[in-house]
Amino acid sequence: DWIWLEVTIAAEIPQQAQMHFVYCDGFTYQITGSAPSAQFDTFLPQFEQILADARCDEQPEMAANGPGLVGLNINPPGDDYNFTNYREAAVAAREAGVQASHVIFSWADVEKAPGEYDWTIPDLLLDTLSLEGIRLSLALSFIHTSVVAPRPDDLAGRPFDDPILIERAVAFVTAVARRYGDQIDYLAFGNEVNIYLAEHPEQVEPFLTLFAALETAVASTAPNLPTGTTL
């Protein structure tokens, strides 16, 4: 779909501009129309005719969800996650027949200060794949394989069942579900958690307490989104 932004340009003769952005065949294009403010309403129908002809014939369709999808963890060469490399990796994967992918990011990647979320990294990861028609599984790495995953600095060292940690984790996961609940097909709490928990069996029950709170939060925010963890 179109993403559009309308701005008013202050000048001796006020101008208005309407900018449209469309993703097509691995690239984003900007189409801008501008006219004096007094003539803008007359100009818009002509601009809309131009936009109607700006079709993308290479936009991939979203893969249909269901069993039998071809999935791949998509990483750019050298794990260099600048936008160009990641976009090229996503396009190459889609052209090779990939229909689904698994994305992981940590709590600390997003919550830079208590209650303040920076969605730059997950937006880049998830939106790039979605634009290529790739279905998504998302894991929030509260545990990452053999370690406790990075958290906001003020929560470091707290056990999984600490009430303050749970309260903040629930708020974070609720924000994730609101932002991406219609975009992802699965949401996991933790990545390969069995490895860490096998080495720290005393933390199994505390982690299950956290897990239950997160599952309840997602169920009330995005009830059709399946939740779990990865082993």
Side-chain angles (χ1 to χ4, degrees), residues 10 22 24 26 31 55 69 76 94 97-98 105-106 109 122 127 135 158 161 178 192 219:
V22 61
C24 183
I31 305 171
R55 293 183 296 271
L69 296 183
R94 186 258 301 171
V98 173
F105 61 84
S106 75
D109 289 331
D127 291 352
R135 305 205 72 93
R158 290 181 180 269
D161 56 357
R178 286 173 177 161
E192 299 173 341

PDB file of all heavy atoms in Angstrom, residues 10 22 24 26 31 55 69 76 94 97-98 105-106 109 122 127 135 158 161 178 192 219:
ATOM      1  N   ALA A  10       6.711  26.669   3.921  1.00  0.00           N
ATOM      2  CA  ALA A  10       6.576  28.113   4.163  1.00  0.00           C
ATOM      3  C   ALA A  10       7.504  28.874   3.217  1.00  0.00           C
ATOM      4  O   ALA A  10       8.697  28.610   3.159  1.00  0.00           O
ATOM      5  CB  ALA A  10       6.908  28.444   5.603  1.00  0.00           C
ATOM      6  N   VAL A  22       6.591   4.071  -2.239  1.00  0.00           N
ATOM      7  CA  VAL A  22       6.113   2.742  -2.606  1.00  0.00           C
ATOM      8  C   VAL A  22       7.313   1.803  -2.718  1.00  0.00           C
ATOM      9  O   VAL A  22       8.376   2.173  -3.223  1.00  0.00           O
ATOM     10  CB  VAL A  22       5.314   2.767  -3.928  1.00  0.00           C
ATOM     11  CG1 VAL A  22       6.158   3.259  -5.086  1.00  0.00           C
ATOM     12  CG2 VAL A  22       4.720   1.401  -4.226  1.00  0.00           C
ATOM     13  N   CYS A  24       8.986  -1.508  -4.272  1.00  0.00           N
ATOM     14  CA  CYS A  24       8.817  -2.285  -5.488  1.00  0.00           C
ATOM     15  C   CYS A  24      10.119  -2.968  -5.860  1.00  0.00           C
ATOM     16  O   CYS A  24      11.160  -2.293  -6.010  1.00  0.00           O
ATOM     17  CB  CYS A  24       8.356  -1.374  -6.639  1.00  0.00           C
ATOM     18  SG  CYS A  24       8.032  -2.254  -8.181  1.00  0.00           S
ATOM     19  N   GLY A  26      12.369  -4.703  -4.356  1.00  0.00           N
ATOM     20  CA  GLY A  26      13.552  -4.543  -3.520  1.00  0.00           C
ATOM     21  C   GLY A  26      14.001  -3.115  -3.300  1.00  0.00           C
ATOM     22  O   GLY A  26      15.025  -2.885  -2.652  1.00  0.00           O
ATOM     23  N   ILE A  31       7.540   9.452  -4.875  1.00  0.00           N
ATOM     24  CA  ILE A  31       6.877  10.236  -5.916  1.00  0.00           C
ATOM     25  C   ILE A  31       6.297  11.468  -5.236  1.00  0.00           C
ATOM     26  O   ILE A  31       5.505  11.357  -4.301  1.00  0.00           O
ATOM     27  CB  ILE A  31       5.758   9.436  -6.598  1.00  0.00           C
ATOM     28  CG1 ILE A  31       6.310   8.104  -7.131  1.00  0.00           C
ATOM     29  CG2 ILE A  31       5.128  10.237  -7.724  1.00  0.00           C
ATOM     30  CD1 ILE A  31       5.242   7.164  -7.633  1.00  0.00           C
ATOM     31  N   ARG A  55       2.327   1.739 -11.006  1.00  0.00           N
ATOM     32  CA  ARG A  55       2.080   0.407 -10.462  1.00  0.00           C
ATOM     33  C   ARG A  55       3.392  -0.371 -10.369  1.00  0.00           C
ATOM     34  O   ARG A  55       4.304  -0.177 -11.153  1.00  0.00           O
ATOM     35  CB  ARG A  55       1.088  -0.346 -11.332  1.00  0.00           C
ATOM     36  CG  ARG A  55      -0.324   0.253 -11.327  1.00  0.00           C
ATOM     37  CD  ARG A  55      -1.273  -0.599 -12.152  1.00  0.00           C
ATOM     38  NE  ARG A  55      -0.872  -0.601 -13.560  1.00  0.00           N
ATOM     39  CZ  ARG A  55      -1.282   0.292 -14.451  1.00  0.00           C
ATOM     40  NH1 ARG A  55      -2.098   1.255 -14.063  1.00  0.00           N
ATOM     41  NH2 ARG A  55      -0.895   0.220 -15.697  1.00  0.00           N
ATOM     42  N   LEU A  69       5.749 -24.631   4.484  1.00  0.00           N
ATOM     43  CA  LEU A  69       6.466 -23.460   3.980  1.00  0.00           C
ATOM     44  C   LEU A  69       7.973 -23.702   4.049  1.00  0.00           C
ATOM     45  O   LEU A  69       8.474 -24.372   4.957  1.00  0.00           O
ATOM     46  CB  LEU A  69       6.126 -22.206   4.789  1.00  0.00           C
ATOM     47  CG  LEU A  69       4.684 -21.702   4.742  1.00  0.00           C
ATOM     48  CD1 LEU A  69       4.563 -20.405   5.542  1.00  0.00           C
ATOM     49  CD2 LEU A  69       4.226 -21.479   3.318  1.00  0.00           C
ATOM     50  N   PRO A  76      22.587 -11.261   6.534  1.00  0.00           N
ATOM     51  CA  PRO A  76      23.400 -10.687   5.463  1.00  0.00           C
ATOM     52  C   PRO A  76      24.833 -11.198   5.535  1.00  0.00           C
ATOM     53  O   PRO A  76      25.272 -11.698   6.582  1.00  0.00           O
ATOM     54  CB  PRO A  76      23.323  -9.179   5.725  1.00  0.00           C
ATOM     55  CG  PRO A  76      23.046  -9.073   7.184  1.00  0.00           C
ATOM     56  CD  PRO A  76      22.208 -10.261   7.548  1.00  0.00           C
ATOM     57  N   ARG A  94      14.025 -14.494  -0.965  1.00  0.00           N
ATOM     58  CA  ARG A  94      12.700 -14.622  -1.583  1.00  0.00           C
ATOM     59  C   ARG A  94      12.813 -15.178  -2.997  1.00  0.00           C
ATOM     60  O   ARG A  94      12.064 -16.070  -3.407  1.00  0.00           O
ATOM     61  CB  ARG A  94      12.009 -13.262  -1.582  1.00  0.00           C
ATOM     62  CG  ARG A  94      10.558 -13.280  -2.073  1.00  0.00           C
ATOM     63  CD  ARG A  94      10.409 -12.785  -3.492  1.00  0.00           C
ATOM     64  NE  ARG A  94      10.893 -11.421  -3.616  1.00  0.00           N
ATOM     65  CZ  ARG A  94      11.044 -10.803  -4.781  1.00  0.00           C
ATOM     66  NH1 ARG A  94      10.812 -11.463  -5.914  1.00  0.00           N
ATOM     67  NH2 ARG A  94      11.493  -9.573  -4.842  1.00  0.00           N
ATOM     68  N   GLY A  97      13.123 -18.840  -3.175  1.00  0.00           N
ATOM     69  CA  GLY A  97      11.969 -19.623  -2.776  1.00  0.00           C
ATOM     70  C   GLY A  97      11.666 -19.636  -1.299  1.00  0.00           C
ATOM     71  O   GLY A  97      10.784 -20.383  -0.854  1.00  0.00           O
ATOM     72  N   VAL A  98      12.354 -18.810  -0.504  1.00  0.00           N
ATOM     73  CA  VAL A  98      12.080 -18.767   0.938  1.00  0.00           C
ATOM     74  C   VAL A  98      10.713 -18.112   1.177  1.00  0.00           C
ATOM     75  O   VAL A  98      10.418 -17.057   0.621  1.00  0.00           O
ATOM     76  CB  VAL A  98      13.192 -17.994   1.677  1.00  0.00           C
ATOM     77  CG1 VAL A  98      12.827 -17.802   3.141  1.00  0.00           C
ATOM     78  CG2 VAL A  98      14.514 -18.747   1.551  1.00  0.00           C
ATOM     79  N   PHE A 105      15.360 -10.683  18.415  1.00  0.00           N
ATOM     80  CA  PHE A 105      16.007  -9.505  18.997  1.00  0.00           C
ATOM     81  C   PHE A 105      15.774  -9.514  20.497  1.00  0.00           C
ATOM     82  O   PHE A 105      14.914 -10.229  21.009  1.00  0.00           O
ATOM     83  CB  PHE A 105      15.565  -8.186  18.349  1.00  0.00           C
ATOM     84  CG  PHE A 105      14.095  -7.867  18.458  1.00  0.00           C
ATOM     85  CD1 PHE A 105      13.568  -7.256  19.583  1.00  0.00           C
ATOM     86  CD2 PHE A 105      13.238  -8.149  17.400  1.00  0.00           C
ATOM     87  CE1 PHE A 105      12.228  -6.947  19.681  1.00  0.00           C
ATOM     88  CE2 PHE A 105      11.885  -7.844  17.478  1.00  0.00           C
ATOM     89  CZ  PHE A 105      11.381  -7.240  18.613  1.00  0.00           C
ATOM     90  N   SER A 106      16.582  -8.741  21.196  1.00  0.00           N
ATOM     91  CA  SER A 106      16.531  -8.766  22.656  1.00  0.00           C
ATOM     92  C   SER A 106      15.746  -7.576  23.201  1.00  0.00           C
ATOM     93  O   SER A 106      15.545  -6.568  22.514  1.00  0.00           O
ATOM     94  CB  SER A 106      17.947  -8.778  23.240  1.00  0.00           C
ATOM     95  OG  SER A 106      18.546  -7.503  23.129  1.00  0.00           O
ATOM     96  N   ASP A 109      17.543  -4.310  23.005  1.00  0.00           N
ATOM     97  CA  ASP A 109      17.601  -3.658  21.697  1.00  0.00           C
ATOM     98  C   ASP A 109      16.542  -2.577  21.558  1.00  0.00           C
ATOM     99  O   ASP A 109      16.680  -1.668  20.731  1.00  0.00           O
ATOM    100  CB  ASP A 109      17.395  -4.685  20.572  1.00  0.00           C
ATOM    101  CG  ASP A 109      18.565  -5.626  20.402  1.00  0.00           C
ATOM    102  OD1 ASP A 109      19.701  -5.210  20.699  1.00  0.00           O
ATOM    103  OD2 ASP A 109      18.335  -6.777  19.969  1.00  0.00           O
ATOM    104  N   PRO A 122      13.951  -3.700  15.259  1.00  0.00           N
ATOM    105  CA  PRO A 122      12.922  -4.648  14.820  1.00  0.00           C
ATOM    106  C   PRO A 122      12.141  -4.188  13.596  1.00  0.00           C
ATOM    107  O   PRO A 122      11.754  -5.019  12.768  1.00  0.00           O
ATOM    108  CB  PRO A 122      12.014  -4.782  16.049  1.00  0.00           C
ATOM    109  CG  PRO A 122      12.333  -3.627  16.918  1.00  0.00           C
ATOM    110  CD  PRO A 122      13.753  -3.273  16.651  1.00  0.00           C
ATOM    111  N   ASP A 127      10.000  -5.416   8.854  1.00  0.00           N
ATOM    112  CA  ASP A 127       9.370  -4.775   7.699  1.00  0.00           C
ATOM    113  C   ASP A 127      10.056  -5.156   6.398  1.00  0.00           C
ATOM    114  O   ASP A 127       9.402  -5.334   5.363  1.00  0.00           O
ATOM    115  CB  ASP A 127       9.374  -3.253   7.865  1.00  0.00           C
ATOM    116  CG  ASP A 127       8.445  -2.784   8.972  1.00  0.00           C
ATOM    117  OD1 ASP A 127       7.686  -3.626   9.496  1.00  0.00           O
ATOM    118  OD2 ASP A 127       8.481  -1.593   9.321  1.00  0.00           O
ATOM    119  N   ARG A 135       6.747 -14.665   5.480  1.00  0.00           N
ATOM    120  CA  ARG A 135       6.033 -14.788   6.745  1.00  0.00           C
ATOM    121  C   ARG A 135       7.022 -14.837   7.896  1.00  0.00           C
ATOM    122  O   ARG A 135       8.185 -15.215   7.715  1.00  0.00           O
ATOM    123  CB  ARG A 135       5.135 -16.024   6.749  1.00  0.00           C
ATOM    124  CG  ARG A 135       4.150 -16.058   5.582  1.00  0.00           C
ATOM    125  CD  ARG A 135       2.947 -16.887   5.913  1.00  0.00           C
ATOM    126  NE  ARG A 135       2.104 -16.178   6.876  1.00  0.00           N
ATOM    127  CZ  ARG A 135       1.075 -15.379   6.540  1.00  0.00           C
ATOM    128  NH1 ARG A 135       0.783 -15.179   5.262  1.00  0.00           N
ATOM    129  NH2 ARG A 135       0.354 -14.784   7.469  1.00  0.00           N
ATOM    130  N   ARG A 158      18.275  -9.142  38.099  1.00  0.00           N
ATOM    131  CA  ARG A 158      17.034  -9.539  38.776  1.00  0.00           C
ATOM    132  C   ARG A 158      16.618 -10.945  38.309  1.00  0.00           C
ATOM    133  O   ARG A 158      16.756 -11.271  37.131  1.00  0.00           O
ATOM    134  CB  ARG A 158      15.909  -8.544  38.490  1.00  0.00           C
ATOM    135  CG  ARG A 158      16.103  -7.176  39.152  1.00  0.00           C
ATOM    136  CD  ARG A 158      14.932  -6.248  38.856  1.00  0.00           C
ATOM    137  NE  ARG A 158      15.100  -4.948  39.479  1.00  0.00           N
ATOM    138  CZ  ARG A 158      14.660  -4.621  40.681  1.00  0.00           C
ATOM    139  NH1 ARG A 158      14.009  -5.530  41.406  1.00  0.00           N
ATOM    140  NH2 ARG A 158      14.847  -3.414  41.171  1.00  0.00           N
ATOM    141  N   ASP A 161      11.519 -14.236  38.093  1.00  0.00           N
ATOM    142  CA  ASP A 161      10.227 -14.075  38.751  1.00  0.00           C
ATOM    143  C   ASP A 161      10.168 -12.838  39.646  1.00  0.00           C
ATOM    144  O   ASP A 161       9.237 -12.682  40.446  1.00  0.00           O
ATOM    145  CB  ASP A 161       9.861 -15.317  39.559  1.00  0.00           C
ATOM    146  CG  ASP A 161      10.919 -15.696  40.592  1.00  0.00           C
ATOM    147  OD1 ASP A 161      11.966 -15.023  40.652  1.00  0.00           O
ATOM    148  OD2 ASP A 161      10.691 -16.669  41.341  1.00  0.00           O
ATOM    149  N   ARG A 178       1.185  -5.273  20.256  1.00  0.00           N
ATOM    150  CA  ARG A 178       0.387  -4.217  19.625  1.00  0.00           C
ATOM    151  C   ARG A 178       1.011  -3.750  18.312  1.00  0.00           C
ATOM    152  O   ARG A 178       0.304  -3.472  17.337  1.00  0.00           O
ATOM    153  CB  ARG A 178       0.251  -3.036  20.579  1.00  0.00           C
ATOM    154  CG  ARG A 178      -0.710  -3.285  21.742  1.00  0.00           C
ATOM    155  CD  ARG A 178      -0.682  -2.161  22.740  1.00  0.00           C
ATOM    156  NE  ARG A 178      -1.659  -2.371  23.816  1.00  0.00           N
ATOM    157  CZ  ARG A 178      -1.618  -1.755  24.983  1.00  0.00           C
ATOM    158  NH1 ARG A 178      -0.651  -0.871  25.239  1.00  0.00           N
ATOM    159  NH2 ARG A 178      -2.524  -2.009  25.898  1.00  0.00           N
ATOM    160  N   GLU A 192      16.213 -21.038  22.233  1.00  0.00           N
ATOM    161  CA  GLU A 192      16.976 -22.220  22.651  1.00  0.00           C
ATOM    162  C   GLU A 192      17.135 -22.263  24.181  1.00  0.00           C
ATOM    163  O   GLU A 192      18.226 -22.474  24.707  1.00  0.00           O
ATOM    164  CB  GLU A 192      18.338 -22.252  21.956  1.00  0.00           C
ATOM    165  CG  GLU A 192      18.208 -22.320  20.438  1.00  0.00           C
ATOM    166  CD  GLU A 192      19.532 -22.192  19.705  1.00  0.00           C
ATOM    167  OE1 GLU A 192      20.508 -21.695  20.305  1.00  0.00           O
ATOM    168  OE2 GLU A 192      19.586 -22.582  18.532  1.00  0.00           O
ATOM    169  N   ALA A 219      -2.123 -12.870  25.117  1.00  0.00           N
ATOM    170  CA  ALA A 219      -3.465 -13.389  24.871  1.00  0.00           C
ATOM    171  C   ALA A 219      -4.530 -12.304  24.983  1.00  0.00           C
ATOM    172  O   ALA A 219      -5.542 -12.336  24.273  1.00  0.00           O
ATOM    173  CB  ALA A 219      -3.772 -14.522  25.844  1.00  0.00           C
TER     174      ALA A 219
END
